[in-house]
Amino acid sequence: MTQDILARNNVRVFGKGTQPMLFAHGFGCDQHMWRFVTPAFEDDYRMILFDYVGSGQSERAAYSAERYGDLEGYAQDVLDICAALDLHDVIFVGHSVSSMIGLLASIREPALFDRLILIGPSPRYINDPPDYVGGFERADIEGLLDLMEKNYLGWANFLAPVIMKNPEHPELTGELEQSFCSTDPLTARRFAEATFFADNRGDLPEARVPALILQCSEDAIAPREVGEYVHRHLPGSTFRLLEATGHCPHMSHPAETIRAIREYLAATRAG
Amino acid sequence: MDDLLNTAPCGFVEFDDDGTILLVNATLATLLGYTPGDLLGRSMDLLLTPGSRVFHQTHFFPLLKMQGKVDELYLSLRSRHGEDVPVLANAVRRERAEAVVNDCIVMPMYQRRRYEDELLHAKKAAEKVTIQLGEANRQLAVMLLEVEKSHAALQQTETELMAANARLQELDRLKDELLAVTSHDLRSPITTIRMATDILLDERRAARVDRHRYLETISQATRRMLVLSNDLSDLARINTGELQLEITPVVLSEVARAAVRELAVKAAGKSITMSVDVAGDEPPVAGDYNRLYQVISNLLGNAIKFTPEGGQVHIRVRSAPGAVVLEVQDTGIGIPAGQVAEMFQHFKHASRPGTAGEQGTGLGLTIVRRLVELHGGQIAVDSEEGRGSTFTIRLPVAGTGVEADRVG
């Protein structure tokens, strides 16, 4: 059973520490997104990376539209992995939609988690006038789905095994045997719908685990107002504004992201 | 930027990992209704539709960062005036001036987008039809299953109707046979009574005969008619469910002994030896004493009737698991092989005259069988023509759960 879960979610475990640090990718790609951040923590923590069912190199056969049409299904993946590895005192690091997924998992089993690190969280992407600004109208998300659909027409390119030389990390060339972001178009669409049509505002006050909110300065997907909304409604949360812009600071500004996480863990440990 | 790149027949933009536009050529700026100066230092988000902004952050940029290049990615740009501009983008990461930058060229694809939209539309329509066909197929399979079930039910009904028809035909035959046998059995005593009374009423002929003997003959004939009438009445009441059984614990061996005593004279009249083999310790059965007496008496009477002078009739009662078994065995004329199976069903076979010309009704065995069945038991016959017959009845022990039917 344990082996089934680890294979199902393409779980990788490494690191020299004892306290587990579980990294959950957001919508779009997979666990490879964390590779610029994880080296900074692997000496001190037990690192766990995984792909949600339907993403990356997870087992396709495990996908169920019924389960994964809702973020609770993804939260269950997190809890399944914690159970399979018998994890306790987990530091959960979630990007984008994984912020809400981690929150849902921690609401269901708060005793499992020590801290939540939420990168670019948003409890609801669609505007809800008059008071809530999520950043998008429904038509914008339909435009995204349309874009995803059109790109899958030429998606074969991304399934090619040849990886171009990466100028920053030439040693990576040849490491990646398969291109990531190779998600099945139908499951990718469903993940997009589950992400962008969700409304988790009501879940924020239920949080029992302290959290760090990492907010990028200019994030079109999770704007600053949304990050501040999360901070106001999430008990025990700390808000940190990054100089990084965009939505993926762990990729675009890994050094600043690492520093922010380290400082938070040190401060809350001392406190 | 050199003129070649600036005016190339494709758009060019360079941006950093923050998404800040570092370089943009005139072709792209013009395509979107800007000048290059409007765009330098601005965010890439300005050039993208809201959907594309998400796609840029979740797919385009991560792919570019991880793989170092992106090929043929479809994006939707937004012009200064808010129009959507569909483009195909190629991008590559490179080092320039000791920094990593992202260089991207874009090609407008209005025509190709129209064509691909139509392809996508056709593909979706085909997928929809496939889904609908699949659903129709599934419904058809369900309907076929229902049809098969109905067909099986119809076949079952047909089988049941045929069986019911066969039963009705059998009943019809039995009715005709019963009428024939009854008519025959009535005719004989009626003829006897008519002849005897005719003689007695004729003074001249009456004077020459033994009046007592003739009156005795009339009396016997009326008794036979009464027996027939009683048998008919019993059969009718059994078949219509009006027969009332008075159920008490009955020791079968006691009933057997009583019946043997009753028929001893008749047996002696033909020098037939009757023997009783009963242990006397068998458990009681739940039954109507009088009706069980009628059954045993009928079987004994038949045994005596169909056994020639000097023969033997044995009656045995023994215990069996959960039951009491009674056997009436004779050394009589037996039953022809082809008639054994029908003894309880064909009145004409059962109404044969006895070895001494004894008359009876053909209803007796039918009544015996029905009475045994009403007591929850079974009756069977084993016979060989010329050697004799054994009638065996098996009745459940009282309290075993297989009780007698309280008919009526």
Side-chain angles (χ1 to χ4, degrees), chain A residues 35 136 140 147 149-151 157-158 164 166-168 179-180 196 220-221 245-248 251-253, chain B residues 17-18 45 50-52 54-55 57-59 62-63 65-67 69 71 73-74 93 95 100 117 124:
Chain A
R35 70 183 313 127
F136 296 92
D140 299 332
L147 206 59
E149 205 162 49
K150 288 198 165 83
N151 274 298
N157 256 4
F158 296 101
M164 277 296 288
N166 185 311
E168 292 167 80
S179 153
F180 69 130
F196 291 102
I221 298 178
T245 58
H247 187 60
C248 307
M251 296 200 76
S252 61
H253 298 78
Chain B
D17 284 358
D18 266 338
D45 284 348
S52 283
V54 178
F55 195 77
Q57 293 288 343
T58 57
H59 289 78
L63 275 170
K65 171 87 177 182
M66 295 297 300
Q67 297 188 156
K69 65 172 261 184
D71 288 328
L73 210 62
Y74 174 89
R93 277 171 84 76
E95 283 187 25
V100 179
D117 276 353
K124 278 183 184 169

Side-chain angles (χ1 to χ4, degrees), chain B residues 122-389:
Chain B
K123 179 172 171 276
K124 278 183 184 169
E127 280 167 359
K128 195 172 170 188
V129 166
T130 305
I131 290 169
Q132 286 170 345
L133 273 174
E135 177 60 23
N137 239 9
R138 193 194 61 78
Q139 286 178 5
L140 196 61
V142 168
M143 278 169 61
L144 277 172
L145 202 62
E146 291 299 318
V147 166
E148 276 175 15
K149 277 188 199 165
S150 297
H151 182 64
L154 273 171
Q155 280 185 324
Q156 172 72 15
T157 304
E158 193 186 7
T159 304
E160 285 167 8
L161 276 172
M162 283 171 63
N165 201 30
R167 175 81 187 129
L168 278 171
Q169 286 179 348
E170 174 67 8
L171 285 173
D172 198 45
R173 184 194 63 74
L174 281 172
K175 176 206 73 182
D176 289 341
E177 199 175 292
L178 178 64
L179 283 172
V181 163
T182 306
S183 157
H184 171 271
D185 285 354
L186 268 178
R187 187 174 298 116
S188 174
I190 289 174
T191 304
T192 302
I193 292 168
R194 184 177 63 79
M195 286 173 63
T197 49
D198 280 350
I199 291 172
L200 289 174
L201 285 171
D202 186 332
E203 282 186 20
R204 195 168 46 85
R205 287 159 74 188
R208 293 200 295 269
V209 302
D210 181 348
R211 193 187 291 258
H212 181 82
R213 189 162 72 84
Y214 273 67
L215 286 172
E216 184 68 37
T217 303
I218 292 168
S219 175
Q220 284 175 359
T222 56
R223 271 203 291 277
R224 276 167 42 209
M225 288 168 65
L226 186 61
V227 166
L228 178 62
S229 170
N230 287 340
D231 280 354
L232 279 171
S233 172
D234 275 353
L235 195 59
R237 287 169 65 210
I238 289 172
N239 284 340
T240 57
E242 287 176 24
L243 188 73
Q244 293 266 5
L245 293 181
E246 290 184 22
I247 304 296
T248 57
V250 173
V251 178
L252 218 54
S253 53
E254 287 175 12
V255 183
R257 285 202 184 91
V260 165
R261 280 195 295 274
E262 174 85 15
L263 290 166
V265 169
K266 196 171 174 188
K270 289 175 78 174
S271 302
I272 288 170
T273 309
M274 281 213 294
S275 66
V276 181
D277 176 13
V278 297
D281 60 352
E282 81 277 8
V285 300
D288 182 313
Y289 183 94
N290 290 328
R291 293 295 174 180
L292 287 174
Y293 183 91
Q294 182 180 353
V295 164
I296 297 172
S297 165
N298 197 298
L299 291 176
L300 274 177
N302 276 350
I304 295 167
K305 178 178 164 187
F306 292 107
T307 299
E309 291 246 348
Q312 290 154 28
V313 172
H314 305 288
I315 182 163
R316 274 188 288 275
V317 179
R318 58 180 171 85
S319 296
V324 177
V325 179
L326 181 141
E327 289 173 355
V328 176
Q329 184 186 20
D330 64 60
T331 58
I333 60 176
I335 304 165
Q339 293 174 14
V340 169
E342 298 172 336
M343 281 308 292
F344 300 105
Q345 285 142 13
H346 281 261
F347 307 112
K348 62 185 179 194
H349 296 323
S351 71
R352 302 170 295 163
T355 54
E358 303 98 318
Q359 296 295 318
T361 74
L363 307 179
L365 278 182
T366 303
I367 293 171
V368 160
R369 178 175 69 90
R370 289 294 287 130
L371 285 174
V372 167
E373 287 171 354
L374 287 173
H375 280 81
Q378 303 105 36
I379 185 166
V381 59
D382 183 23
S383 183
E384 189 182 337
E385 196 170 16
R387 292 180 70 85
S389 304

Side-chain angles (χ1 to χ4, degrees), chain A residues 141-155:
Chain A
I141 304 304
E142 299 290 348
L144 165 68
L145 297 174
D146 183 60
L147 206 59
M148 286 171 60
E149 205 162 49
K150 288 198 165 83
N151 274 298
Y152 285 116
L153 282 177
W155 209 238

